[in-house]
């Protein structure tokens, strides 16, 4: 009886922690997918004027705005998991477009050989169980997505 | 009762009178105008075969010139009228066969890869007492090839680099010498002087010419096959995709006012491009009826994630 009273809370705490970790992984996967999809959509937008002029592929001039808009849209589908509004997260994201190649990314130091869109964001995700266990109730996930046509 | 009916009938019969209507089909001939006596034509008109024109330039010889890697097949003419006539039989592209192959007195050459050169078959006529008499067929070659193309082995629809296939350059168009006429020492046939035609492909109606384009997979694109004489654009009568991967094309042939619309949902092998070859038909008073080929390389790219 005593053993049960002692171990039951520990088991419940452990179970809650495991469930919270699983939920966090799911949230991280969804946030990463949101960034990937937004980068793909932005890269898929070709500059038609440049194409008609030179025949080469360059990103559309509004590639950054397109990436930010779709990042917010995708995040909004997981709004219950987020620690802040999707629009705010997308607005704060560091999104860069490199219309012409080659280009160097000052943030990551990477070299891009084709037109590229890069999304770097810090996404707060709710972790209420962790908060109840004396950890932080919001966990920030760093996401980096890079896309280019090849 | 019978008496009453008979009386009514009799009354109606007595009241009847002939109608004075005009009979349009009556042929009494009384008012016909006297027939005018016609004099016979001093020179009866003999209708020429369709498309026949008076020759002003005379065929001299086939010419093959090489400048670097470029070999040009053309025909020389001399500006001379011999009283003969000619008409276009067939205009053939590079490698295309014609029903008149073997019938021209000057033959038809082949390119370095064995394909027949592009050009036009003309039939020559002399005007005799019985009308236009065909006397010979001549082939005016009009083609060019790049030597570097001969070294590669092209894969149908996919080439490893954007290339221009053997294209019909537009050499000034000639006329032909009839070989078989006996009435005249030299029967010459010529076509009107025709200016060189440069085929171009652009992505917008007034855009610059492009040899290669990069497209995102699945995105629609419109290509405008065009033709130029010097710097001046001439109207394209029609175009047809004759080779290459046309993708998800809406149409593979159309008039000059309609662009070629398509998209590609698949990618070429790594490092390769899709070569699309158009046959452009022009038919203006300046150029005559001609076909020229134009090619464009299409690099299809697909957005992907970089890991």
């Amino acid at each position: 009886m005593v053993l049960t009273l002692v171990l039951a809370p520990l088991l419940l705490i452990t179970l809650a922690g495991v469930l919270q970790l699983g939920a966090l992984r799911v949230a991280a996967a969804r946030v990463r997918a949101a960034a990937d999809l937004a980068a793909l959509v932005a890269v898929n937008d070709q500059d038609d004027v440049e194409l008609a002029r030179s025949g080469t592929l360059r990103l559309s001039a509004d590639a950054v705005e397109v990436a930010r808009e779709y990042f917010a849209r995708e995040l909004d589908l997981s709004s219950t998991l987020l620690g802040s509004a999707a629009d705010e997260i997308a607005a704060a994201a560091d999104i860069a477009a490199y219309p012409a190649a080659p280009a160097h990314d000052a943030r990551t130091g990477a070299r891009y050989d084709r037109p590229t869109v890069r999304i770097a964001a810090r996404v707060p995700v709710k972790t209420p169980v962790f908060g109840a266990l004396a950890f932080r109730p919001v966990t920030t996930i760093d996401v980096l997505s890079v896309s280019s046509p090849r | 009762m019978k008496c009453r009916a008979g009386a009514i009938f009799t009354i109606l019969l007595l009241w009847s009178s002939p109608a004075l209507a005009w009979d349009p089909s009556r042929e009494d001939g009384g008012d016909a105008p006297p027939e005018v006596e016609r004099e016979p034509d001093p020179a009866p008109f003999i209708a020429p075969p369709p498309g026949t024109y008076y020759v002003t330039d005379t065929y001299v010889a086939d010419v093959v010139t090489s400048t670097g890697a470029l070999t040009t097949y053309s025909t020389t003419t001399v500006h001379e009228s011999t009283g003969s006539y000619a008409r276009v039989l067939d205009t053939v592209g590079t490698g295309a066969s014609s029903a008149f192959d073997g019938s021209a007195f000057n033959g038809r050459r082949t390119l370095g890869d064995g394909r027949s050169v592009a050009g036009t078959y003309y039939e020559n006529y002399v005007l005799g007492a019985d009308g236009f008499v065909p006397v010979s067929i001549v082939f005016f070659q009009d083609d060019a090839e790049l030597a570097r193309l001969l070294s590669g082995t092209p894969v149908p629809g996919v080439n490893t680099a954007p290339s221009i296939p053997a294209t019909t350059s537009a050499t000034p168009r000639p006329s032909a010498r009839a070989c078989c006429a006996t009435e005249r020492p030299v029967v010459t046939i010529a076509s009107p002087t025709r200016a060189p035609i440069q085929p171009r492909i652009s992505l917008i109606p007034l855009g610059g010419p492009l040899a290669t384009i990069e497209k995102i997979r699945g995105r629609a694109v419109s290509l405008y096959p065009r033709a130029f004489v010097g710097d001046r654009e001439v109207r394209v009568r029609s175009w047809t995709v004759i080779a290459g991967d046309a993708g998800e094309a809406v149409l593979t042939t159309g008039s000059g006012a309609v662009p070629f619309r398509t998209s590609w949902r698949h990618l070429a092998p790594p490092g390769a491009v899709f070569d699309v070859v158009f046959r452009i038909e022009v038919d203006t008073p300046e150029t005559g009826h001609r076909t020229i080929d134009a090619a464009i390389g299409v690099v299809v790219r697909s957005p992907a994630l970089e890991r």
Side-chain angles (χ1 to χ4, degrees):
Chain A
M1 181 67 179
V2 175
L3 186 60
T4 301
L5 289 176
V6 171
L7 292 181
L10 291 176
L11 288 172
L12 288 174
I13 291 173
T14 304
L15 179 60
V18 169
L19 291 175
Q20 183 64 83
L21 280 174
L24 186 59
R25 289 183 62 88
V26 170
R30 298 183 75 163
V31 167
R32 191 175 300 115
D36 289 347
L37 287 171
L40 286 171
V41 169
V43 168
N44 203 46
D45 196 8
Q46 187 171 6
D47 185 347
D48 291 330
V49 175
E50 179 64 20
L51 175 66
R53 190 187 68 81
S54 64
T56 57
L57 189 151
R58 294 188 66 173
L59 298 181
S60 179
D62 61 349
V64 171
E65 288 74 18
V66 170
R68 200 178 301 280
E69 176 189 352
Y70 277 83
F71 188 41
R73 288 188 183 187
E74 297 294 335
L75 286 178
D76 196 46
L77 297 176
S78 306
S79 58
T80 56
L81 303 176
L82 302 178
S84 59
D87 290 341
E88 295 176 3
I89 298 171
D94 181 8
I95 301 177
Y98 302 90
H104 285 277
D105 190 337
R107 181 186 180 104
T108 65
R111 170 192 164 95
Y112 303 131
D113 293 326
R114 300 207 179 281
T116 302
V117 170
R118 186 260 296 149
I119 298 176
R122 295 175 62 84
V123 181
V125 177
K126 294 177 185 173
T127 49
V129 176
F130 288 169
L133 297 176
F135 295 105
R136 299 174 64 179
V138 174
T139 302
T140 301
I141 298 173
D142 289 320
V143 62
L144 177 68
S145 180
V146 181
S147 178
S148 65
R150 58 189 179 190
Chain B
M1 184 64 182
K2 288 183 179 178
C3 294
R4 183 180 299 175
I8 292 173
F9 180 75
T10 303
I11 291 171
L12 290 175
L13 193 63
L14 291 174
W15 281 2
S16 64
S17 63
L20 298 176
W22 173 67
D23 184 1
S25 60
R26 186 176 61 183
E27 296 179 355
D28 52 11
D31 298 333
E35 186 171 346
V36 178
E37 197 170 303
R38 298 180 184 274
E39 294 182 359
D41 288 338
F45 174 73
I46 300 174
T52 304
Y53 56 86
Y54 186 70
V55 171
T56 57
D57 293 281
T58 303
Y59 169 87
V60 175
D62 297 329
V63 176
V64 179
T65 57
S66 296
T67 304
L70 179 66
T71 302
T72 303
Y73 299 82
S74 60
T75 306
T76 58
T77 62
V78 60
H79 188 65
E80 179 184 18
S81 297
T82 60
S84 56
Y85 298 81
R87 72 183 177 102
V88 175
L89 289 178
D90 192 13
T91 300
V92 291
T94 303
S97 61
S98 171
F100 302 100
D101 286 343
S103 59
F105 69 80
N106 61 335
R108 183 182 177 190
R109 294 173 184 270
T110 57
L111 300 175
D113 57 1
R115 293 184 296 164
S116 300
V117 298
T120 306
Y121 282 102
Y122 295 88
E123 187 165 28
N124 308 321
Y125 294 87
V126 294
L127 181 58
D130 298 330
F132 290 85
V133 180
V135 292
S136 67
I137 295 176
V138 64
F139 180 74
F140 286 97
Q141 60 184 9
D142 184 6
D143 210 338
E145 68 176 337
L146 289 174
R148 65 180 177 82
L149 291 177
L150 302 178
S151 58
T153 303
V155 177
V158 176
N159 287 336
T160 54
S163 62
I164 302 174
T167 58
T168 55
S169 70
T171 55
R173 209 24 94 104
S175 56
R177 179 176 61 217
C179 65
C180 309
T182 57
E183 295 83 355
R184 298 169 182 265
V186 177
V187 178
T188 55
I189 305 298
S191 63
T193 300
R194 298 199 294 183
I197 300 176
Q198 301 296 332
R200 295 179 184 176
I201 297 175
S202 61
L203 286 164
I204 54 178
L206 299 178
L210 298 172
T212 306
I213 60 170
E214 292 180 285
K215 281 302 297 177
I216 294 291
R217 177 170 64 173
R219 296 208 66 183
V221 63
S222 295
L223 299 174
Y224 289 82
R226 301 159 68 192
F228 288 78
V229 174
D231 293 333
R232 192 162 52 80
E233 184 169 8
V234 296
R235 190 178 70 85
V236 172
R237 183 176 185 180
S238 67
W239 53 261
T240 304
V241 177
I242 60 172
D245 190 329
E248 310 282 333
V250 177
L251 295 171
T252 56
T253 184
S255 68
V258 178
F260 169 65
R261 300 178 194 275
T262 187
S263 63
W264 286 267
R265 295 187 180 180
H266 54 281
L267 304 179
V273 301
F274 293 126
D275 269 350
V276 183
V277 183
F278 293 88
R279 179 149 297 164
I280 301 171
E281 180 187 16
V282 296
D283 189 5
T284 65
E286 180 183 5
T287 63
H289 180 254
R290 299 175 68 184
T291 58
I292 46 179
D293 292 349
I296 187 169
V298 180
V299 181
V300 182
R301 301 202 182 280
S302 175
L305 297 173
E306 301 287 340
R307 294 296 184 188

